Amino acid sequence: MKNIFYKLYVVAFMCLTVWFIVIIWNVTFHHVIEEYENRKELEEVATIKEQKKREAEKTKFERIILQSEERVKHYLGYRVIEEQRIEGHFHHIGFDIGPDNRSYCIRCHGDMPHDKVRDLRAFLNMHAFFIACQTCHVKTEGRGPRVYKWYDRKTGELVPSPVLTYRAGTYNAKIIQIENTGVGEPQRVDSQERIDFASEFKEREKELSEAQKSKAKKMIHEIVSKQPSICEDCHQRESPLLPLHELGYPRDRIDSILSTEVVGMVKKYTEFYMPRMLHPGEQNKENEK
Amino acid sequence: MSLKRAARLYIVGFIFIVLNFYPSKNLFSADVGNCLLCHKYPGLSRIDEQGKMKLLYVNEDIFNISVHLKVKCEGCHTDIKKIPHDPVNKVDCLVECHIVEPSSEQKFSHKDVDNYVKKSVHAALDKYGMPKKFKEDLPTCKNCHDEPLYRPLSFFKQVRPGISEAALGRCRVCHKKEDFIIRFYNHVTTRLHRTRNPINIAEVCARCHDDPLLVERHNLGTRAVFSYGETFHGKAARFLDERVPDCLDCHVNTGESVHQMLSHKDSAAITYRENKYLACSNIECHPGTSQQFASYKVHAEFNLDQSPVQYYFTLFFIILTGGTLLPLMAIIFLDLIRRLFPDAVIPRRR
């Protein structure tokens, strides 16, 4: 037994020695290497400059992507706020929402897919943050009662309602519709089969002919309704599309969502902007005029 | 008085105290227009016509610890006159908001800050009123500032930073409004020390001053924050030490606004060759230091091209330290292997 403890002691000491070696290396010779690399980097400034000009489009892409990657820590003494830094964004974000790994729609359409209707796009994107695309864009009428569940953005698994755990809209989960196909058990609209098909299309897109691409796209969008659900489908007291109570919303949150304040604002939007949303092409024509 | 009646009175009294004095979050909110009805949702966002992401979310919790907590949304977003509102214009930080500056009793604005910046090295126009070269590189308010947050200090016993409940207890003797007390305490104590941690200041400056393209364009000669990180001050700042000088301590004349940063070529600047020692000899840093003390190259990078003397000097110490300690560690490691396997032998080849 004594021998085992002695061996463990020696191994622990060896680990400590290795740790010291790494530290000493980092503050000494690694520093020299770093300086050499920095010098090289500066020498390459002119080349980079030229490259940046040539890759203007790529830079634009990188700017959008990378700006959400930069992280900052604000040291307030009694508290540290760590958050993403978005260039030009004045107000603090203060928390992180992971990517939606389940959605196959956003692989092509992006995380902020709504941009056609200028006056509504931010609202629609806001809802897309906690409502899966299929919930509004796929209608499964005549197939029994509609069922909606929450799924985890990271794992894609169905999870219990996060509404009581997190602040409004900051859930790491989204609402998805459960489809009754008439055959077997009801299944999620974003079924594994559909995900696999869309993923394979994305992977093999380059090798497909135009006709094949069109066919595949049609099949992927086959379930998409021409008339998506609109704000008033949910923000109304009579028969809201989403069963908010079943989705875990407490009474006061349901009252707020269906309040005169929200419903009234939705009406104002509907009055002024909604007709254009239902005929998206007209918006562009108006702008062109 | 019966026991029952007394108990009832106590309960009513307790409810009254809780309702009146409990520091509810809503007490602080300046959201009179109920803008957070929509803007509390983090997904409220879009990609604009220039391909830039616009996040329209306001984190209420963090906003309530910011210096602007009493400014109404429309105090800055002045073009919002109706709900639903149209896409808003860029905020003009020089606008007069509804806050009244107590000493002059006039509406508050950041115009004075702008006047300082106009005279500083960061001004977009030169002294003749002509646009400077690479004007677009020069900072505007939001390049250096996001929402400034309170950093309250605790003076009682100094066990931890933050708000001192003991101090607040004193305030409560005379002042009755809880939100006023906390806001006032936050405001005053935040101003009594650094409004940002040195490392946060350095990060802000680094966005421009460590950008190799910008450094080259403006012929700045050094990556200022990188070289700051090489010094004792920078290394201590990295360990979140707040007693070390940050960029502003050495680049702004003591007692002046940080927005009044002058070029090192300006004889009035603290970074002017003859004045540099004044920054070091500050009573809080190295009092009584001579001009010679500050004559060394402060922003020398460990770079052969830029500072060959410092480079070889540092290189000597690196080799001395690494060359001594690494073999020592290697010997210790080999010795430990022997202790772990005392009888191990490497078989000889026949």
Side-chain angles (χ1 to χ4, degrees):
Chain A
M1 186 59 93
K2 194 182 167 187
N3 198 27
I4 292 171
F5 276 114
Y6 177 72
K7 298 267 182 198
L8 284 173
Y9 169 75
V10 171
V11 169
F13 212 77
M14 282 170 83
C15 294
L16 190 70
T17 314
V18 171
W19 187 58
F20 271 120
I21 288 173
V22 172
I23 288 179
I24 294 164
W25 172 261
N26 279 339
V27 298
T28 55
F29 295 113
H30 178 72
H31 204 59
V32 181
I33 296 167
E34 202 178 40
E35 184 275 332
Y36 175 76
E37 281 169 0
N38 278 327
R39 196 144 39 94
K40 280 276 167 209
E41 190 189 323
L42 286 174
E43 280 168 10
E44 283 166 10
V45 159
T47 332
I48 294 167
K49 207 173 167 183
E50 277 306 303
Q51 268 178 0
K52 288 220 169 192
K53 269 184 190 170
R54 271 186 268 124
E55 296 176 7
E57 272 310 299
K58 195 184 164 196
T59 314
K60 190 176 163 187
F61 171 78
E62 279 177 352
R63 204 171 54 229
I64 295 168
I65 303 304
L66 292 179
Q67 69 187 5
S68 59
E69 294 294 315
E70 193 186 336
R71 301 191 64 77
V72 281
K73 275 185 182 177
H74 303 280
Y75 298 98
L76 304 184
Y78 65 104
R79 181 180 171 184
V80 179
I81 296 174
E82 187 177 356
E83 61 183 7
Q84 289 180 345
R85 181 179 174 269
I86 296 174
E87 202 186 330
H89 185 65
F90 185 71
H91 295 285
H92 293 278
I93 305 169
F95 71 95
D96 284 317
I97 291 270
D100 180 0
N101 294 333
R102 175 80 183 186
S103 173
Y104 59 92
C105 308
I106 63 168
R107 288 179 206 164
C108 292
H109 295 282
D111 252 336
M112 281 173 264
H114 303 101
D115 61 357
K116 275 186 188 154
V117 190
R118 197 163 166 253
D119 305 300
L120 279 176
R121 56 190 174 183
F123 282 105
L124 299 174
N125 286 333
M126 176 257 271
H127 283 84
F129 216 61
F130 53 88
I131 295 177
C133 311
Q134 294 90 338
T135 305
C136 299
H137 289 275
V138 175
K139 287 186 179 171
T140 54
E141 278 100 341
R143 296 185 198 165
R146 290 196 188 103
V147 179
Y148 296 91
K149 299 267 183 199
W150 289 95
Y151 75 85
D152 188 278
R153 292 170 69 101
K154 196 178 173 185
T155 61
E157 299 296 317
L158 294 180
V159 287
S161 170
V163 177
L164 293 176
T165 321
Y166 297 94
R167 285 174 72 101
T170 62
Y171 326 120
N172 264 311
K174 279 181 161 184
I175 298 168
I176 184 70
Q177 201 181 152
I178 307 293
E179 183 185 19
N180 193 350
T181 53
V183 186
E185 288 289 300
Q187 59 173 16
R188 294 167 64 152
V189 177
D190 58 343
S191 63
Q192 196 55 48
E193 195 186 340
R194 284 180 181 136
I195 293 174
D196 292 343
F197 188 87
S199 305
E200 195 172 345
F201 165 70
K202 192 85 185 125
E203 273 167 29
R204 298 176 59 183
E205 194 182 356
K206 280 183 184 169
E207 61 192 65
L208 298 178
S209 69
E210 288 306 313
Q212 285 170 323
K213 275 186 206 170
S214 299
K215 192 179 173 186
K217 279 183 190 170
K218 267 193 180 163
M219 287 178 75
I220 291 168
H221 294 96
E222 197 177 34
I223 54 166
V224 177
S225 166
K226 278 182 185 167
Q227 292 283 330
S229 299
I230 58 170
C231 315
E232 277 179 317
D233 290 343
C234 282
H235 293 284
Q236 49 133 326
R237 285 197 175 273
E238 292 304 309
S239 58
L241 178 75
L242 290 177
L244 297 172
H245 182 67
E246 285 165 32
L247 284 165
Y249 282 85
R251 194 70 255 163
D252 62 324
R253 290 278 301 122
I254 297 176
D255 285 344
S256 167
I257 292 165
L258 308 179
S259 68
T260 330
E261 212 170 20
V262 176
V263 175
M265 198 165 70
V266 167
K267 267 190 184 162
K268 277 184 188 170
Y269 267 98
T270 313
E271 199 178 318
F272 293 113
Y273 310 121
M274 204 63 83
R276 278 178 268 163
M277 190 192 87
L278 296 175
H279 308 282
E282 286 178 16
Q283 172 72 22
N284 296 337
K285 280 177 200 167
E286 270 176 37
N287 288 344
E288 279 166 20
K289 279 176 195 174
Chain B
M1 196 191 301
S2 72
L3 202 64
K4 225 176 181 181
R5 203 175 157 199
R8 247 186 244 156
L9 267 175
Y10 274 120
I11 291 168
V12 170
F14 177 74
I15 293 170
F16 175 80
I17 289 166
V18 167
L19 289 179
N20 279 280
F21 299 110
Y22 186 72
S24 149
K25 278 175 191 170
N26 298 332
L27 279 173
F28 303 117
S29 179
D31 184 24
V32 182
N34 200 11
C35 305
L36 288 172
L37 179 73
C38 301
H39 289 275
K40 71 180 170 200
Y41 288 97
L44 198 70
S45 55
R46 61 183 165 82
I47 302 287
D48 72 4
E49 284 69 19
Q50 283 75 45
K52 210 170 177 187
M53 182 178 154
K54 292 276 178 196
L55 184 62
L56 312 168
Y57 165 64
V58 178
N59 186 321
E60 191 185 5
D61 280 348
I62 300 181
F63 185 77
N64 281 341
I65 54 166
S66 78
V67 301
H68 292 123
L69 86 163
K70 286 300 278 183
V71 183
K72 292 176 190 165
C73 304
E74 57 268 32
C76 297
H77 298 281
T78 51
D79 52 328
I80 298 175
K81 306 283 184 203
K82 61 178 172 64
I83 302 288
H85 63 79
D86 298 320
V88 296
N89 296 328
K90 211 173 169 186
V91 167
D92 176 8
C93 301
L94 307 185
V95 77
E96 283 181 350
C97 61
H98 82 285
I99 298 280
V100 175
E101 197 280 300
S103 62
S104 65
E105 294 187 350
Q106 288 184 340
K107 277 192 169 182
F108 183 81
S109 118
H110 291 297
K111 275 177 192 158
D112 285 343
V113 172
D114 186 51
N115 291 334
Y116 288 138
V117 174
K118 277 178 183 161
K119 290 177 203 159
S120 79
V121 70
H122 292 128
L125 304 176
D126 63 15
K127 58 183 174 184
Y128 307 108
M130 300 302 288
K132 284 185 186 167
K133 214 176 167 187
F134 306 113
K135 183 172 145 274
E136 64 284 357
D137 287 341
L138 294 159
T140 57
C141 309
K142 283 209 301 184
N143 290 112
C144 304
H145 295 278
D146 46 20
E147 178 75 84
L149 301 172
Y150 281 136
R151 303 182 76 224
L153 268 183
S154 175
F155 295 104
F156 280 77
K157 292 187 181 175
Q158 299 188 335
V159 178
R160 58 175 179 83
I163 288 180
S164 161
E165 280 301 323
L168 290 180
R170 286 188 168 185
C171 303
R172 285 183 189 117
V173 174
C174 300
H175 304 287
K176 300 299 169 204
K177 282 193 172 176
E178 189 69 17
D179 66 332
F180 169 83
I181 294 168
I182 293 179
R183 185 163 49 85
F184 203 82
Y185 181 92
N186 272 321
H187 180 86
V188 172
T189 64
T190 298
R191 296 291 167 194
L192 287 175
H193 72 134
R194 296 170 187 283
T195 49
R196 286 193 247 186
N197 185 286
I199 201 75
N200 283 147
I201 294 284
E203 278 167 4
V204 168
C205 302
R207 279 178 209 142
C208 295
H209 286 276
D210 272 9
D211 176 354
L213 293 169
L214 191 139
V215 168
E216 192 212 43
R217 268 201 301 275
H218 293 265
N219 198 23
L220 296 177
T222 183
R223 285 173 300 157
V225 182
F226 173 79
S227 51
Y228 170 72
E230 296 282 285
T231 65
F232 285 117
H233 298 148
K235 287 185 198 301
R238 212 176 284 171
F239 287 106
L240 306 180
D241 192 336
E242 298 216 3
R243 295 167 302 169
V244 291
D246 59 37
C247 314
L248 306 177
D249 289 307
C250 302
H251 285 265
V252 179
N253 290 353
T254 314
E256 289 182 0
S257 163
V258 294
H259 300 96
Q260 223 167 335
M261 203 174 282
L262 302 171
S263 160
H264 67 96
K265 290 170 193 159
D266 189 328
S267 60
I270 198 156
T271 47
Y272 187 64
R273 201 181 172 84
E274 269 76 46
N275 301 340
K276 267 201 299 189
Y277 79 102
L278 293 171
C280 312
S281 62
N282 188 313
I283 187 87
E284 287 164 340
C285 299
H286 306 283
T289 48
S290 64
Q291 275 202 352
Q292 223 175 352
F293 182 82
S295 62
Y296 77 102
K297 210 172 175 184
V298 182
H299 281 288
E301 287 183 29
F302 178 60
N303 181 316
L304 182 59
D305 300 333
Q306 195 216 56
S307 329
V309 177
Q310 276 95 338
Y311 178 83
Y312 285 115
F313 190 75
T314 316
L315 191 66
F316 168 74
F317 275 102
I318 282 175
I319 293 169
L320 186 71
T321 314
T324 315
L325 291 179
L326 283 175
L328 177 71
M329 288 293 147
I331 290 166
I332 292 173
F333 192 77
L334 290 172
D335 179 54
L336 289 168
I337 291 176
R338 171 54 70 202
R339 282 166 193 266
L340 200 62
F341 306 107
D343 304 322
V345 283
I346 299 170
R348 285 186 182 177
R349 279 185 187 175
R350 285 184 183 176

